[in-house]
Amino acid sequence: GARAKAYLHVNCSNCHRPGGTGRGEMDLRFDTALPAMNICDTVPQLGDLGIAGARIVAAGSPGRSVLLQRMKRQDVFRMPPLASSLFDDAGILLLENWIAGLAGCQ
């Protein structure tokens, strides 16, 4: 979990934090506890990518986790949105394994 949270902190929290430029209410800083990150079992407010039962992070279900699925896209839904024409395969695998291993949101 710590490696996945470190990845989110380094790659995402510059925008996705209180007062950041990212849309939504996520706080992806490393020191933020999972329940306070506002991602686990949270219904996405900015599009579900056509995924049934989508959550920002669906504990135990990478396929329903919009956060991860946005990393795998090359369209307007891509995260990060700029300077990202290549996939970060290692980062995707890290987050996929983290989400798959989550038994809940605590």
Side-chain angles (χ1 to χ4, degrees):
R3 286 186 64 217
K5 287 186 70 179
Y7 181 92
L8 293 171
H9 179 87
V10 168
N11 292 285
C12 310
S13 74
N14 190 51
C15 296
H16 295 289
R17 64 170 52 224
T21 59
R23 296 170 63 193
E25 301 296 320
M26 291 184 281
D27 184 355
L28 301 183
R29 294 175 294 173
F30 182 80
D31 290 336
T32 306
L34 182 58
M37 292 174 82
N38 299 319
I39 59 173
C40 195
D41 201 31
T42 302
V43 175
Q45 300 299 309
L46 302 173
D48 62 10
L49 304 178
I51 300 168
R55 298 293 183 265
I56 295 174
V57 168
S61 183
R64 291 186 359 195
S65 299
V66 171
L67 181 144
L68 178 65
Q69 297 310 313
R70 284 182 178 257
M71 292 175 63
K72 296 178 173 185
R73 301 199 51 141
Q74 287 291 1
D75 58 15
V76 298
F77 301 107
R78 169 87 170 135
M79 280 291 139
L82 301 172
S84 59
S85 62
L86 301 175
F87 292 113
D88 180 356
D89 294 328
I92 289 170
L93 182 60
L94 172 68
L95 292 180
E96 194 167 63
N97 288 335
W98 175 62
I99 293 168
L102 287 174
C105 296
Q106 300 300 316

